[in-house]
């Protein structure tokens, strides 16, 4: 069996014999970074020899991410040619999207533990790589669940204060581009038009039509009065096609009774019933299905932009990825609260298999992850989906995102959360109006 993606990535990062830098896929936009450094008056006389650096590009096996990883590899190689120096390109992984640590690199002298963030890159020195490699062989990762990879890796390296902490490296840039930036993290939503984009430009194209996205809301009778009104006050109007699935039919909402008794947890039976209904009864062969909880807040307009990067004829299972037992041959899964996105082809392959719930109250997201893993269909991760509330994340982390979803109404004002974080902005509306006028002129 192939090692799980996250463990494979960690092993690859720790197994090298040279110092290496992990670079974000978004550095593809910095094709002429070395020239910019020179124009900015920075000297290269103290630069490290490129032959002493290994670049590890993390990607995912979905065609869109694999293509972007290949573009980044070509970009880095071209920069090396431009610098007229020989160098060594390290192993490129195509199992993970580039998920990297914001503004920090690991140092040799620990002070305090610092919580890392995703962004433009991270680097480890050779002594630290050798130390971690030895430790990993004798002290493997023991956590059953992998929830926040960046935090878990940093804790492992920090080793309860016995290892190094994070050291700020401002050259790993997350805001704008300057002459001292070695990398840059691009936080805008992609707009990819069938995953067609170029190394030196942002992706161009149109968002997926909202009529191509079917939204299924899981609910139950006891939450009809409490949660459904929140959906209707916030994001329901964005959805072109939406149905509410419950254990009780109520015409005023309306809800659809799937004939599955409500369960206090898991909801696997209900989720598979939704998948069956979508595949066999949804009209016009709609290419995308999104399943959310009744306390999920989501931006359909941003989802339309994100899905422009993916080919619905491929088996796509998209959302915020968690892991179960990855250190011992487990599997990744999309956590349900943040929203689960399926292409029709992914659902077709799933239901054609014999993989089903072992009980109605089995955890639906984990069963789906196990099923897709057995079918060889990888989870596609997007950090823009969130299993928790905005207050549950570091401010710096969210500052570099255009989030698509948040989950849970507990101890928050969900309407305020939606209009603060997810409601279409004036810029979004202006873009949509411009696109509409352009189509009318054509």
């Amino acid at each position: 069996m192939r090692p799980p993606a996250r463990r494979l990535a960690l092993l690859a990062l720790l197994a090298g014999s040279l110092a290496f830098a992990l670079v974000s896929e978004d550095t593809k936009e910095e094709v002429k970074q070395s020239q910019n450094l020179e124009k900015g008056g920075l000297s290269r006389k103290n630069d490290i020899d490129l032959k002493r650096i290994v670049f590890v590009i993390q990607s995912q096996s979905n065609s869109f991410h694999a293509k972007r990883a290949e573009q980044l590899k070509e970009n880095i190689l071209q920069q090396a040619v431009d610098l007229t120096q020989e160098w060594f390109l390290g192993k490129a992984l195509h199992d993970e999207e580039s998920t990297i640590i914001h503004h920090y690199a690991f140092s040799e002298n620990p002070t305090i533990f610092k919580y890392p963030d995703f962004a433009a890159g991270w680097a480890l020195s050779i002594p630290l790589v050798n130390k971690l490699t030895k430790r990993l062989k004798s002290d493997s990762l023991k956590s059953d669940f992998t929830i926040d990879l960046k935090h878990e890796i940093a804790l492992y390296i920090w080793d309860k204060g016995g290892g190094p902490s994070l050291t700020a490296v401002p050259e790993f840039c997350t805001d704008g581009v300057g002459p001292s930036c070695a990398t840059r993290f691009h936080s805008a939503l992609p707009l990819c038009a069938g995953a067609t984009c170029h190394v030196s430009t942002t992706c161009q194209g149109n968002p997926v039509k909202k009529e191509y996205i079917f939204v299924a809301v899981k609910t139950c009778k006891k939450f009809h009065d409490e949660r459904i009104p929140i959906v209707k006050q916030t994001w329901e109007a964005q959805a072109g096609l939406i149905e509410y699935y419950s254990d009780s039919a109520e015409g005023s909402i309306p809800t659809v009774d799937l004939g599955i008794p409500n369960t206090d947890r898991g909801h696997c039976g209900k989720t598979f019933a939704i998948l069956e209904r979508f595949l066999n009864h949804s009209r016009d062969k709609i290419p995308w299905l999104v399943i959310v909880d009744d306390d999920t807040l989501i931006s359909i307009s941003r989802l339309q932009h994100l899905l422009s990067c993916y080919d619905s004829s491929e088996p796509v299972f998209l959302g915020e990825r968690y892991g179960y037992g990855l250190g011992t041959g487990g599997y990744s899964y999309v956590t349900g609260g943040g929203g689960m996105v399926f292409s029709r082809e992914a659902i077709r392959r799933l239901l054609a298999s014999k993989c089903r719930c072992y009980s109605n109250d089995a955890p639906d997201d984990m069963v789906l992850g196990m099923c897709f893993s057995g079918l060889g269909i990888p989870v596609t991760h997007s950090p823009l989906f969130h299993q928790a509330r905005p207050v549950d994340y570091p401010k710096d982390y969210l500052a570099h995102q255009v989030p698509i979803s948040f989950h849970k109404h507990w101890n928050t004002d969900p309407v305020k959360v939606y209009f603060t974080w997810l409601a279409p902005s004036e810029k979004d509306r202006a873009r949509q109006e411009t696109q509409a006028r352009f189509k009318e002129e054509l």
Side-chain angles (χ1 to χ4, degrees), residues 291-318:
I291 299 180
V292 296
D293 293 346
D294 53 10
D295 59 347
T296 299
L297 299 171
I298 189 167
S299 171
I300 301 299
S301 61
R302 293 176 187 174
L303 181 61
Q304 290 174 251
H305 283 74
L306 180 65
L307 291 183
S308 69
C309 296
Y310 297 97
D311 184 349
S312 62
S313 67
E314 295 180 356
V316 179
F317 183 37
L318 171 69

Side-chain angles (χ1 to χ4, degrees), residues 230 297 408-420:
I230 302 299
L297 299 171
K408 297 179 182 177
H409 295 171
W410 178 74
N411 205 27
T412 65
D413 179 347
V415 175
K416 182 178 179 179
V417 168
Y418 173 78
F419 284 101
T420 300

Side-chain angles (χ1 to χ4, degrees), residues 43-113:
S43 171
R44 292 213 324 256
K45 63 181 180 181
N46 295 321
D47 285 358
I48 189 171
D49 190 336
L50 282 175
K51 289 186 290 185
R52 298 177 62 194
I53 304 174
V54 177
F55 291 86
V56 179
I57 302 170
Q58 292 183 274
S59 184
Q60 304 191 75
S61 53
N62 178 274
S63 62
F64 165 65
H65 295 284
K67 182 175 182 178
R68 294 188 76 180
E70 186 62 31
Q71 289 171 333
L72 175 55
K73 175 182 175 181
E74 293 172 0
N75 169 230
I76 296 173
L77 285 168
Q78 184 59 52
Q79 290 189 57
V81 171
D82 292 342
L83 288 169
T84 64
Q85 296 186 35
E86 295 181 359
W87 72 302
F88 174 71
L89 178 68
K91 179 179 180 181
L93 298 176
H94 296 283
D95 294 320
E96 286 283 312
E97 187 174 14
S98 184
T99 52
I100 44 218
I101 294 178
H102 161 50
H103 265 226
Y104 293 104
F106 288 104
S107 71
E108 289 300 314
N109 300 313
T111 53
I112 59 173
F113 175 73

Side-chain angles (χ1 to χ4, degrees), residues 122-141:
W122 61 312
L124 289 84
S125 66
I126 264 291
L128 180 56
V129 171
N130 291 336
K131 178 180 178 180
L132 293 172
T133 302
K134 292 179 181 178
R135 182 180 165 212
L136 192 61
K137 290 179 180 178
S138 60
D139 183 19
S140 60
L141 304 178

Side-chain angles (χ1 to χ4, degrees), residues 275-392:
L275 296 174
E276 293 274 6
R277 180 180 173 90
F278 174 80
L279 189 67
N280 298 320
H281 302 292
S282 62
R283 58 189 182 279
D284 300 327
K285 302 299 180 184
I286 301 161
W288 297 103
L289 170 67
V290 183
I291 299 180
V292 296
D293 293 346
D294 53 10
D295 59 347
T296 299
L297 299 171
I298 189 167
S299 171
I300 301 299
S301 61
R302 293 176 187 174
L303 181 61
Q304 290 174 251
H305 283 74
L306 180 65
L307 291 183
S308 69
C309 296
Y310 297 97
D311 184 349
S312 62
S313 67
E314 295 180 356
V316 179
F317 183 37
L318 171 69
E320 182 183 16
R321 179 182 52 221
Y322 281 9
Y324 176 72
L326 296 184
T328 55
Y331 54 86
S332 295
Y333 62 96
V334 169
T335 179
M340 300 183 288
V341 182
F342 308 80
S343 66
R344 178 174 288 273
E345 177 61 16
I347 298 172
R348 186 193 67 79
R349 295 193 191 187
L350 171 66
L351 297 183
S353 74
K354 295 181 179 180
C355 194
R356 293 293 188 274
C357 307
Y358 52 84
S359 66
N360 281 339
D361 66 349
D364 54 353
D365 48 8
M366 295 184 71
V367 170
L368 286 167
M370 180 177 61
C371 290
F372 280 123
S373 177
L375 291 171
I377 298 173
V379 166
T380 301
H381 172 68
S382 171
L384 306 182
F385 297 83
H386 299 88
Q387 172 68 15
R389 307 162 300 167
V391 296
D392 298 318

